[in-house]
Amino acid sequence: PFTNLPIVGFTKAQGVKDYTFSQLDTIAGGGVFILYQMSDTGPVMSRHQLSTDTSSIERRELSITKAVDYIAKFLRNSLRNFIGRSNITPSFLDQLSTVTQGLLAFLGPEGVGACANASLNNLIQDETSPDTIICDITITALYPANYLRLTLLV
């Protein structure tokens, strides 16, 4: 997660102290990425890791969208060598399925931890475009701990 993460390269965050936390929440709720400093000499940090699409938690949390982008790029790069080198046969699809499942295991919590879980749903030859393989994958995101709700009983 990127919330409260110090950001290298910045020396000062200007204007943030002019707003209350409630006002900053409203600004951030509109998809504005806010940087702040606890003191004038402290590090500049990300206040909340929001993107501009606030329609769902999976789309508004920058760490989730960055993880999905990383996974997509990693899979495309890892499977690129299979393009144009083989004919589409049942054994080729089995081989591609095995490799893809291994890559997904590497991306999960036992590997690099880019997601909570990733599973291969389907890997088939496209019926309308027979030189194309359709690979459907479901990813379970890791959610950042943005809030802590406390209840005190007396």
Side-chain angles (χ1 to χ4, degrees):
F2 301 112
T3 299
N4 297 322
L5 181 73
I7 300 188
V8 178
F10 291 98
T11 56
K12 188 169 183 151
Q14 293 182 338
V16 177
K17 292 181 181 178
D18 298 337
Y19 297 95
T20 66
F21 281 112
S22 178
Q23 289 172 322
L24 290 173
D25 287 342
T26 301
I27 294 168
V32 176
F33 194 101
I34 298 172
L35 300 176
Y36 75 99
Q37 279 178 294
M38 293 299 287
S39 68
D40 289 338
T41 59
V44 175
M45 297 187 284
S46 167
R47 184 173 181 279
H48 192 150
Q49 52 163 359
L50 293 176
S51 73
T52 55
D53 184 351
T54 59
S55 61
S56 69
I57 190 168
E58 291 82 11
R59 294 186 182 274
R60 77 175 168 247
E61 293 294 335
L62 188 60
S63 63
I64 295 174
T65 58
K66 287 181 72 68
V68 172
D69 288 347
Y70 170 80
I71 291 167
K73 185 173 184 176
F74 178 83
L75 290 172
R76 280 194 304 271
N77 288 338
S78 298
L79 298 173
R80 181 173 287 138
N81 290 335
F82 290 97
I83 297 173
R85 296 182 178 228
S86 301
N87 291 320
I88 300 175
T89 63
S91 63
F92 175 71
L93 291 175
D94 287 344
Q95 176 188 14
L96 193 58
S97 175
T98 301
V99 169
T100 302
Q101 289 176 19
L103 293 170
L104 295 177
F106 174 75
L107 291 166
E110 302 299 320
V112 295
C115 59
N117 187 34
S119 59
L120 177 62
N121 301 327
N122 205 1
L123 195 140
I124 59 170
Q125 184 176 10
D126 189 344
E127 292 178 9
T128 59
S129 183
D131 63 340
T132 301
I133 296 171
I134 298 171
C135 182
D136 291 326
I137 296 169
T138 298
I139 298 169
T140 304
L142 290 167
Y143 294 92
N146 289 327
Y147 306 100
L148 181 59
R149 186 174 178 173
L150 296 174
T151 302
L152 303 176
L153 302 174
V154 181

